[in-house]
Amino acid sequence: MIVLKLGGSVITDKERPMTADRIAIRRLAEEVALSGVRELIIVHGGGSFGHPLAERFKIAEGFKEEPQLLGFSKTHRAMMELNRLIVNALLGQGIPALSLPPSSFIITHDGRIKALNLEVLRSSLERGFVPVLYGDAVLDAVRGFTILSGDQLSARLALELGASRLIFGVDVDGVYTSNPKLDLEARLLEVLRLEEMEDVARVGGATSTDVTGGMLGKIREALPVVEAGIPVVILNAGRPHNIFKALRGERVIGTVLCR
Ligand code: ADP
């Protein structure tokens, strides 16, 4: 079973609120279909759907005042709208995609998933469905509510369900020595070993490998997955054929995180 996380930066236009990249979504659905991989969980990010609302209403910080309730609901609704587009694209390719809203079966504890009821997920996989989940606004036992990132969710599912691989599809070619969007000298790292991951996760932007923002979050979430011996691949899902090849286990330009 493979867990595929599709980054919000790939499936939406991050500059324009509530704007999906329909061409990318369709292409990715085609690549998934063509790969022939059916033991698969897809998790997608929020991009310009979830993030602006979550930020405006400070959902990640937790419940502080009544008006946030509407913000929570609207954030969740925005994610459902994006999810509908992904599921539609997959169905259009004949993939039995099944939407499973994380907020309906996960409650976090201070931002982290504790206990996780996997019955529905396991059964839907066994029955031959492709579950499609996403980063979501969820209830939180400590904060009242918060944002559960697609990165945390996909890593946790890969770990709990013993995936053979976790693939992060993003808008850059992998992990670089520094943020490639800001530094023209940044070099792509083809392999990142566990010890290097631990260094990066600890100090973030302060080592020779300067990783920040969303990429730092991914490496932190990937740590326990790699520790468990499950390889994690970070690659550019914006480049045609990459997801197709990665799902088939073929080599793709990117970063492999492994022990
Ligand atoms: P997504 O929304 O697709 O999940 P994020 O935007 O959260 O992706 O994270 C990927 C981003 O992390 C890249 O677009 C890049 O700007 C940033 N980043 C920061 N440091 C690095 C690094 N060292 N190597 C690669 N990307 C980095």
PDB file of all heavy atoms in Angstrom, residues 138-173:
ATOM      1  N   VAL A 138      -9.915  20.250  12.494  1.00  0.00           N
ATOM      2  CA  VAL A 138     -10.394  19.139  13.323  1.00  0.00           C
ATOM      3  C   VAL A 138     -10.613  19.597  14.768  1.00  0.00           C
ATOM      4  O   VAL A 138     -10.050  20.600  15.202  1.00  0.00           O
ATOM      5  CB  VAL A 138      -9.387  17.954  13.331  1.00  0.00           C
ATOM      6  CG1 VAL A 138      -9.217  17.363  11.942  1.00  0.00           C
ATOM      7  CG2 VAL A 138      -8.030  18.387  13.902  1.00  0.00           C
ATOM      8  N   LEU A 139     -11.411  18.824  15.490  1.00  0.00           N
ATOM      9  CA  LEU A 139     -11.587  19.104  16.912  1.00  0.00           C
ATOM     10  C   LEU A 139     -10.330  18.671  17.651  1.00  0.00           C
ATOM     11  O   LEU A 139      -9.682  17.699  17.270  1.00  0.00           O
ATOM     12  CB  LEU A 139     -12.818  18.363  17.440  1.00  0.00           C
ATOM     13  CG  LEU A 139     -14.127  18.848  16.800  1.00  0.00           C
ATOM     14  CD1 LEU A 139     -15.284  17.948  17.199  1.00  0.00           C
ATOM     15  CD2 LEU A 139     -14.412  20.289  17.190  1.00  0.00           C
ATOM     16  N   ASP A 140      -9.993  19.418  18.709  1.00  0.00           N
ATOM     17  CA  ASP A 140      -8.780  19.127  19.467  1.00  0.00           C
ATOM     18  C   ASP A 140      -9.128  19.102  20.952  1.00  0.00           C
ATOM     19  O   ASP A 140      -9.784  20.030  21.449  1.00  0.00           O
ATOM     20  CB  ASP A 140      -7.725  20.199  19.161  1.00  0.00           C
ATOM     21  CG  ASP A 140      -6.392  19.888  19.799  1.00  0.00           C
ATOM     22  OD1 ASP A 140      -6.259  20.035  21.038  1.00  0.00           O
ATOM     23  OD2 ASP A 140      -5.466  19.478  19.072  1.00  0.00           O
ATOM     24  N   ALA A 141      -8.674  18.039  21.637  1.00  0.00           N
ATOM     25  CA  ALA A 141      -9.052  17.848  23.040  1.00  0.00           C
ATOM     26  C   ALA A 141      -8.489  18.943  23.945  1.00  0.00           C
ATOM     27  O   ALA A 141      -9.027  19.210  25.010  1.00  0.00           O
ATOM     28  CB  ALA A 141      -8.584  16.470  23.514  1.00  0.00           C
ATOM     29  N   VAL A 142      -7.406  19.575  23.550  1.00  0.00           N
ATOM     30  CA  VAL A 142      -6.788  20.609  24.383  1.00  0.00           C
ATOM     31  C   VAL A 142      -7.177  22.012  23.913  1.00  0.00           C
ATOM     32  O   VAL A 142      -7.588  22.861  24.695  1.00  0.00           O
ATOM     33  CB  VAL A 142      -5.244  20.461  24.374  1.00  0.00           C
ATOM     34  CG1 VAL A 142      -4.587  21.548  25.214  1.00  0.00           C
ATOM     35  CG2 VAL A 142      -4.836  19.067  24.865  1.00  0.00           C
ATOM     36  N   ARG A 143      -7.048  22.237  22.597  1.00  0.00           N
ATOM     37  CA  ARG A 143      -7.263  23.590  22.057  1.00  0.00           C
ATOM     38  C   ARG A 143      -8.713  23.885  21.642  1.00  0.00           C
ATOM     39  O   ARG A 143      -9.018  24.992  21.233  1.00  0.00           O
ATOM     40  CB  ARG A 143      -6.398  23.785  20.810  1.00  0.00           C
ATOM     41  CG  ARG A 143      -4.919  23.648  21.071  1.00  0.00           C
ATOM     42  CD  ARG A 143      -4.137  23.839  19.785  1.00  0.00           C
ATOM     43  NE  ARG A 143      -2.815  23.253  19.892  1.00  0.00           N
ATOM     44  CZ  ARG A 143      -1.978  23.106  18.871  1.00  0.00           C
ATOM     45  NH1 ARG A 143      -2.337  23.480  17.658  1.00  0.00           N
ATOM     46  NH2 ARG A 143      -0.799  22.566  19.046  1.00  0.00           N
ATOM     47  N   GLY A 144      -9.543  22.873  21.692  1.00  0.00           N
ATOM     48  CA  GLY A 144     -10.920  23.055  21.212  1.00  0.00           C
ATOM     49  C   GLY A 144     -11.020  22.639  19.759  1.00  0.00           C
ATOM     50  O   GLY A 144     -11.833  21.795  19.391  1.00  0.00           O
ATOM     51  N   PHE A 145     -10.188  23.244  18.945  1.00  0.00           N
ATOM     52  CA  PHE A 145     -10.023  22.787  17.560  1.00  0.00           C
ATOM     53  C   PHE A 145      -8.666  23.222  17.062  1.00  0.00           C
ATOM     54  O   PHE A 145      -7.964  24.008  17.721  1.00  0.00           O
ATOM     55  CB  PHE A 145     -11.144  23.291  16.648  1.00  0.00           C
ATOM     56  CG  PHE A 145     -11.438  24.769  16.731  1.00  0.00           C
ATOM     57  CD1 PHE A 145     -10.470  25.717  16.433  1.00  0.00           C
ATOM     58  CD2 PHE A 145     -12.705  25.211  17.116  1.00  0.00           C
ATOM     59  CE1 PHE A 145     -10.749  27.073  16.499  1.00  0.00           C
ATOM     60  CE2 PHE A 145     -12.990  26.573  17.194  1.00  0.00           C
ATOM     61  CZ  PHE A 145     -12.006  27.500  16.882  1.00  0.00           C
ATOM     62  N   THR A 146      -8.267  22.718  15.913  1.00  0.00           N
ATOM     63  CA  THR A 146      -6.985  23.107  15.332  1.00  0.00           C
ATOM     64  C   THR A 146      -6.948  22.684  13.862  1.00  0.00           C
ATOM     65  O   THR A 146      -7.956  22.221  13.320  1.00  0.00           O
ATOM     66  CB  THR A 146      -5.800  22.490  16.113  1.00  0.00           C
ATOM     67  OG1 THR A 146      -4.582  23.138  15.713  1.00  0.00           O
ATOM     68  CG2 THR A 146      -5.656  20.996  15.846  1.00  0.00           C
ATOM     69  N   ILE A 147      -5.786  22.860  13.255  1.00  0.00           N
ATOM     70  CA  ILE A 147      -5.590  22.392  11.888  1.00  0.00           C
ATOM     71  C   ILE A 147      -4.721  21.141  11.921  1.00  0.00           C
ATOM     72  O   ILE A 147      -3.652  21.136  12.529  1.00  0.00           O
ATOM     73  CB  ILE A 147      -4.903  23.471  11.016  1.00  0.00           C
ATOM     74  CG1 ILE A 147      -5.803  24.698  10.856  1.00  0.00           C
ATOM     75  CG2 ILE A 147      -4.528  22.901   9.648  1.00  0.00           C
ATOM     76  CD1 ILE A 147      -7.114  24.447  10.108  1.00  0.00           C
ATOM     77  N   LEU A 148      -5.210  20.088  11.306  1.00  0.00           N
ATOM     78  CA  LEU A 148      -4.425  18.865  11.137  1.00  0.00           C
ATOM     79  C   LEU A 148      -3.836  18.920   9.733  1.00  0.00           C
ATOM     80  O   LEU A 148      -4.577  18.945   8.748  1.00  0.00           O
ATOM     81  CB  LEU A 148      -5.328  17.631  11.293  1.00  0.00           C
ATOM     82  CG  LEU A 148      -4.729  16.294  10.845  1.00  0.00           C
ATOM     83  CD1 LEU A 148      -3.490  15.938  11.669  1.00  0.00           C
ATOM     84  CD2 LEU A 148      -5.782  15.186  10.960  1.00  0.00           C
ATOM     85  N   SER A 149      -2.520  18.961   9.628  1.00  0.00           N
ATOM     86  CA  SER A 149      -1.918  19.085   8.296  1.00  0.00           C
ATOM     87  C   SER A 149      -1.989  17.768   7.532  1.00  0.00           C
ATOM     88  O   SER A 149      -1.978  16.677   8.118  1.00  0.00           O
ATOM     89  CB  SER A 149      -0.456  19.530   8.409  1.00  0.00           C
ATOM     90  OG  SER A 149       0.353  18.464   8.880  1.00  0.00           O
ATOM     91  N   GLY A 150      -2.069  17.889   6.241  1.00  0.00           N
ATOM     92  CA  GLY A 150      -2.025  16.700   5.381  1.00  0.00           C
ATOM     93  C   GLY A 150      -0.709  15.962   5.541  1.00  0.00           C
ATOM     94  O   GLY A 150      -0.659  14.743   5.367  1.00  0.00           O
ATOM     95  N   ASP A 151       0.351  16.690   5.893  1.00  0.00           N
ATOM     96  CA  ASP A 151       1.664  16.061   6.092  1.00  0.00           C
ATOM     97  C   ASP A 151       1.646  15.145   7.313  1.00  0.00           C
ATOM     98  O   ASP A 151       2.100  14.006   7.254  1.00  0.00           O
ATOM     99  CB  ASP A 151       2.754  17.128   6.256  1.00  0.00           C
ATOM    100  CG  ASP A 151       3.007  17.891   4.967  1.00  0.00           C
ATOM    101  OD1 ASP A 151       2.630  17.384   3.888  1.00  0.00           O
ATOM    102  OD2 ASP A 151       3.590  18.997   5.036  1.00  0.00           O
ATOM    103  N   GLN A 152       1.130  15.682   8.447  1.00  0.00           N
ATOM    104  CA  GLN A 152       1.050  14.846   9.646  1.00  0.00           C
ATOM    105  C   GLN A 152       0.161  13.623   9.388  1.00  0.00           C
ATOM    106  O   GLN A 152       0.513  12.491   9.731  1.00  0.00           O
ATOM    107  CB  GLN A 152       0.485  15.642  10.832  1.00  0.00           C
ATOM    108  CG  GLN A 152       0.449  14.815  12.099  1.00  0.00           C
ATOM    109  CD  GLN A 152      -0.265  15.467  13.296  1.00  0.00           C
ATOM    110  OE1 GLN A 152      -0.718  14.771  14.198  1.00  0.00           O
ATOM    111  NE2 GLN A 152      -0.352  16.779  13.317  1.00  0.00           N
ATOM    112  N   LEU A 153      -0.970  13.865   8.761  1.00  0.00           N
ATOM    113  CA  LEU A 153      -1.931  12.792   8.512  1.00  0.00           C
ATOM    114  C   LEU A 153      -1.329  11.702   7.614  1.00  0.00           C
ATOM    115  O   LEU A 153      -1.424  10.508   7.924  1.00  0.00           O
ATOM    116  CB  LEU A 153      -3.191  13.388   7.860  1.00  0.00           C
ATOM    117  CG  LEU A 153      -4.301  12.416   7.518  1.00  0.00           C
ATOM    118  CD1 LEU A 153      -4.786  11.669   8.758  1.00  0.00           C
ATOM    119  CD2 LEU A 153      -5.474  13.149   6.861  1.00  0.00           C
ATOM    120  N   SER A 154      -0.691  12.087   6.522  1.00  0.00           N
ATOM    121  CA  SER A 154      -0.173  11.071   5.593  1.00  0.00           C
ATOM    122  C   SER A 154       0.942  10.265   6.242  1.00  0.00           C
ATOM    123  O   SER A 154       1.009   9.040   6.070  1.00  0.00           O
ATOM    124  CB  SER A 154       0.274  11.712   4.280  1.00  0.00           C
ATOM    125  OG  SER A 154       1.121  12.796   4.516  1.00  0.00           O
ATOM    126  N   ALA A 155       1.803  10.941   7.025  1.00  0.00           N
ATOM    127  CA  ALA A 155       2.894  10.220   7.692  1.00  0.00           C
ATOM    128  C   ALA A 155       2.323   9.220   8.695  1.00  0.00           C
ATOM    129  O   ALA A 155       2.752   8.069   8.771  1.00  0.00           O
ATOM    130  CB  ALA A 155       3.833  11.204   8.387  1.00  0.00           C
ATOM    131  N   ARG A 156       1.324   9.667   9.438  1.00  0.00           N
ATOM    132  CA  ARG A 156       0.739   8.805  10.462  1.00  0.00           C
ATOM    133  C   ARG A 156       0.039   7.588   9.843  1.00  0.00           C
ATOM    134  O   ARG A 156       0.144   6.473  10.332  1.00  0.00           O
ATOM    135  CB  ARG A 156      -0.239   9.638  11.286  1.00  0.00           C
ATOM    136  CG  ARG A 156      -0.847   8.939  12.443  1.00  0.00           C
ATOM    137  CD  ARG A 156       0.205   8.518  13.478  1.00  0.00           C
ATOM    138  NE  ARG A 156      -0.410   7.687  14.479  1.00  0.00           N
ATOM    139  CZ  ARG A 156      -0.891   8.155  15.635  1.00  0.00           C
ATOM    140  NH1 ARG A 156      -0.754   9.417  15.940  1.00  0.00           N
ATOM    141  NH2 ARG A 156      -1.472   7.337  16.490  1.00  0.00           N
ATOM    142  N   LEU A 157      -0.644   7.819   8.723  1.00  0.00           N
ATOM    143  CA  LEU A 157      -1.331   6.707   8.056  1.00  0.00           C
ATOM    144  C   LEU A 157      -0.326   5.718   7.489  1.00  0.00           C
ATOM    145  O   LEU A 157      -0.515   4.499   7.583  1.00  0.00           O
ATOM    146  CB  LEU A 157      -2.248   7.235   6.942  1.00  0.00           C
ATOM    147  CG  LEU A 157      -3.455   8.059   7.408  1.00  0.00           C
ATOM    148  CD1 LEU A 157      -4.264   8.535   6.207  1.00  0.00           C
ATOM    149  CD2 LEU A 157      -4.335   7.260   8.364  1.00  0.00           C
ATOM    150  N   ALA A 158       0.763   6.234   6.911  1.00  0.00           N
ATOM    151  CA  ALA A 158       1.797   5.351   6.368  1.00  0.00           C
ATOM    152  C   ALA A 158       2.352   4.458   7.466  1.00  0.00           C
ATOM    153  O   ALA A 158       2.537   3.248   7.291  1.00  0.00           O
ATOM    154  CB  ALA A 158       2.907   6.174   5.726  1.00  0.00           C
ATOM    155  N   LEU A 159       2.568   5.069   8.641  1.00  0.00           N
ATOM    156  CA  LEU A 159       3.129   4.353   9.779  1.00  0.00           C
ATOM    157  C   LEU A 159       2.152   3.313  10.320  1.00  0.00           C
ATOM    158  O   LEU A 159       2.474   2.133  10.461  1.00  0.00           O
ATOM    159  CB  LEU A 159       3.471   5.382  10.861  1.00  0.00           C
ATOM    160  CG  LEU A 159       4.425   4.993  11.964  1.00  0.00           C
ATOM    161  CD1 LEU A 159       5.758   4.533  11.401  1.00  0.00           C
ATOM    162  CD2 LEU A 159       4.652   6.196  12.885  1.00  0.00           C
ATOM    163  N   GLU A 160       0.921   3.751  10.600  1.00  0.00           N
ATOM    164  CA  GLU A 160      -0.073   2.869  11.231  1.00  0.00           C
ATOM    165  C   GLU A 160      -0.489   1.721  10.322  1.00  0.00           C
ATOM    166  O   GLU A 160      -0.777   0.637  10.785  1.00  0.00           O
ATOM    167  CB  GLU A 160      -1.334   3.667  11.599  1.00  0.00           C
ATOM    168  CG  GLU A 160      -1.110   4.753  12.611  1.00  0.00           C
ATOM    169  CD  GLU A 160      -1.303   4.260  14.043  1.00  0.00           C
ATOM    170  OE1 GLU A 160      -1.857   3.171  14.227  1.00  0.00           O
ATOM    171  OE2 GLU A 160      -0.875   4.991  14.953  1.00  0.00           O
ATOM    172  N   LEU A 161      -0.548   1.987   9.044  1.00  0.00           N
ATOM    173  CA  LEU A 161      -1.042   0.960   8.122  1.00  0.00           C
ATOM    174  C   LEU A 161       0.105   0.200   7.463  1.00  0.00           C
ATOM    175  O   LEU A 161      -0.114  -0.635   6.591  1.00  0.00           O
ATOM    176  CB  LEU A 161      -1.950   1.597   7.059  1.00  0.00           C
ATOM    177  CG  LEU A 161      -3.258   2.198   7.599  1.00  0.00           C
ATOM    178  CD1 LEU A 161      -3.900   3.110   6.573  1.00  0.00           C
ATOM    179  CD2 LEU A 161      -4.230   1.081   7.990  1.00  0.00           C
ATOM    180  N   GLY A 162       1.342   0.512   7.869  1.00  0.00           N
ATOM    181  CA  GLY A 162       2.494  -0.203   7.328  1.00  0.00           C
ATOM    182  C   GLY A 162       2.619  -0.069   5.823  1.00  0.00           C
ATOM    183  O   GLY A 162       2.764  -1.054   5.100  1.00  0.00           O
ATOM    184  N   ALA A 163       2.583   1.167   5.345  1.00  0.00           N
ATOM    185  CA  ALA A 163       2.705   1.399   3.894  1.00  0.00           C
ATOM    186  C   ALA A 163       4.069   0.929   3.413  1.00  0.00           C
ATOM    187  O   ALA A 163       5.022   0.833   4.186  1.00  0.00           O
ATOM    188  CB  ALA A 163       2.532   2.892   3.606  1.00  0.00           C
ATOM    189  N   SER A 164       4.156   0.620   2.128  1.00  0.00           N
ATOM    190  CA  SER A 164       5.461   0.243   1.570  1.00  0.00           C
ATOM    191  C   SER A 164       6.248   1.494   1.222  1.00  0.00           C
ATOM    192  O   SER A 164       7.473   1.465   1.123  1.00  0.00           O
ATOM    193  CB  SER A 164       5.276  -0.633   0.333  1.00  0.00           C
ATOM    194  OG  SER A 164       4.527   0.061  -0.638  1.00  0.00           O
ATOM    195  N   ARG A 165       5.545   2.614   1.035  1.00  0.00           N
ATOM    196  CA  ARG A 165       6.190   3.857   0.664  1.00  0.00           C
ATOM    197  C   ARG A 165       5.277   5.031   0.964  1.00  0.00           C
ATOM    198  O   ARG A 165       4.053   4.908   0.889  1.00  0.00           O
ATOM    199  CB  ARG A 165       6.464   3.865  -0.845  1.00  0.00           C
ATOM    200  CG  ARG A 165       7.909   4.137  -1.201  1.00  0.00           C
ATOM    201  CD  ARG A 165       8.204   3.823  -2.648  1.00  0.00           C
ATOM    202  NE  ARG A 165       7.382   2.831  -3.265  1.00  0.00           N
ATOM    203  CZ  ARG A 165       6.875   2.966  -4.503  1.00  0.00           C
ATOM    204  NH1 ARG A 165       7.078   4.059  -5.187  1.00  0.00           N
ATOM    205  NH2 ARG A 165       6.166   1.972  -5.029  1.00  0.00           N
ATOM    206  N   LEU A 166       5.909   6.154   1.263  1.00  0.00           N
ATOM    207  CA  LEU A 166       5.162   7.411   1.412  1.00  0.00           C
ATOM    208  C   LEU A 166       5.751   8.390   0.408  1.00  0.00           C
ATOM    209  O   LEU A 166       6.962   8.624   0.409  1.00  0.00           O
ATOM    210  CB  LEU A 166       5.316   7.943   2.851  1.00  0.00           C
ATOM    211  CG  LEU A 166       4.882   9.383   3.126  1.00  0.00           C
ATOM    212  CD1 LEU A 166       3.401   9.598   2.828  1.00  0.00           C
ATOM    213  CD2 LEU A 166       5.165   9.750   4.603  1.00  0.00           C
ATOM    214  N   ILE A 167       4.906   8.921  -0.460  1.00  0.00           N
ATOM    215  CA  ILE A 167       5.379   9.855  -1.484  1.00  0.00           C
ATOM    216  C   ILE A 167       4.798  11.238  -1.205  1.00  0.00           C
ATOM    217  O   ILE A 167       3.584  11.392  -1.089  1.00  0.00           O
ATOM    218  CB  ILE A 167       4.922   9.391  -2.894  1.00  0.00           C
ATOM    219  CG1 ILE A 167       5.429   7.976  -3.198  1.00  0.00           C
ATOM    220  CG2 ILE A 167       5.401  10.386  -3.963  1.00  0.00           C
ATOM    221  CD1 ILE A 167       4.839   7.362  -4.470  1.00  0.00           C
ATOM    222  N   PHE A 168       5.687  12.238  -1.090  1.00  0.00           N
ATOM    223  CA  PHE A 168       5.243  13.623  -0.981  1.00  0.00           C
ATOM    224  C   PHE A 168       5.422  14.287  -2.341  1.00  0.00           C
ATOM    225  O   PHE A 168       6.558  14.463  -2.797  1.00  0.00           O
ATOM    226  CB  PHE A 168       6.087  14.405   0.038  1.00  0.00           C
ATOM    227  CG  PHE A 168       5.761  14.120   1.483  1.00  0.00           C
ATOM    228  CD1 PHE A 168       6.640  13.418   2.289  1.00  0.00           C
ATOM    229  CD2 PHE A 168       4.577  14.587   2.051  1.00  0.00           C
ATOM    230  CE1 PHE A 168       6.359  13.177   3.628  1.00  0.00           C
ATOM    231  CE2 PHE A 168       4.276  14.350   3.387  1.00  0.00           C
ATOM    232  CZ  PHE A 168       5.174  13.641   4.169  1.00  0.00           C
ATOM    233  N   GLY A 169       4.341  14.658  -2.972  1.00  0.00           N
ATOM    234  CA  GLY A 169       4.424  15.403  -4.228  1.00  0.00           C
ATOM    235  C   GLY A 169       4.337  16.885  -3.928  1.00  0.00           C
ATOM    236  O   GLY A 169       3.336  17.353  -3.380  1.00  0.00           O
ATOM    237  N   VAL A 170       5.398  17.626  -4.263  1.00  0.00           N
ATOM    238  CA  VAL A 170       5.433  19.069  -3.977  1.00  0.00           C
ATOM    239  C   VAL A 170       5.735  19.867  -5.249  1.00  0.00           C
ATOM    240  O   VAL A 170       5.735  19.308  -6.352  1.00  0.00           O
ATOM    241  CB  VAL A 170       6.469  19.390  -2.862  1.00  0.00           C
ATOM    242  CG1 VAL A 170       6.010  18.824  -1.536  1.00  0.00           C
ATOM    243  CG2 VAL A 170       7.848  18.853  -3.222  1.00  0.00           C
ATOM    244  N   ASP A 171       6.010  21.164  -5.083  1.00  0.00           N
ATOM    245  CA  ASP A 171       6.244  22.012  -6.260  1.00  0.00           C
ATOM    246  C   ASP A 171       7.723  22.325  -6.488  1.00  0.00           C
ATOM    247  O   ASP A 171       8.062  23.236  -7.230  1.00  0.00           O
ATOM    248  CB  ASP A 171       5.437  23.317  -6.150  1.00  0.00           C
ATOM    249  CG  ASP A 171       5.915  24.202  -5.010  1.00  0.00           C
ATOM    250  OD1 ASP A 171       6.616  23.698  -4.110  1.00  0.00           O
ATOM    251  OD2 ASP A 171       5.589  25.400  -5.016  1.00  0.00           O
ATOM    252  N   VAL A 172       8.588  21.588  -5.789  1.00  0.00           N
ATOM    253  CA  VAL A 172      10.033  21.684  -6.051  1.00  0.00           C
ATOM    254  C   VAL A 172      10.538  20.246  -6.236  1.00  0.00           C
ATOM    255  O   VAL A 172       9.818  19.294  -5.924  1.00  0.00           O
ATOM    256  CB  VAL A 172      10.789  22.387  -4.887  1.00  0.00           C
ATOM    257  CG1 VAL A 172      10.431  23.872  -4.825  1.00  0.00           C
ATOM    258  CG2 VAL A 172      10.496  21.714  -3.557  1.00  0.00           C
ATOM    259  N   ASP A 173      11.783  20.097  -6.723  1.00  0.00           N
ATOM    260  CA  ASP A 173      12.245  18.758  -7.094  1.00  0.00           C
ATOM    261  C   ASP A 173      12.605  17.844  -5.921  1.00  0.00           C
ATOM    262  O   ASP A 173      12.911  16.672  -6.119  1.00  0.00           O
ATOM    263  CB  ASP A 173      13.451  18.864  -8.042  1.00  0.00           C
ATOM    264  CG  ASP A 173      13.005  19.225  -9.460  1.00  0.00           C
ATOM    265  OD1 ASP A 173      11.791  19.107  -9.753  1.00  0.00           O
ATOM    266  OD2 ASP A 173      13.863  19.627 -10.274  1.00  0.00           O
TER     267      ASP A 173
END
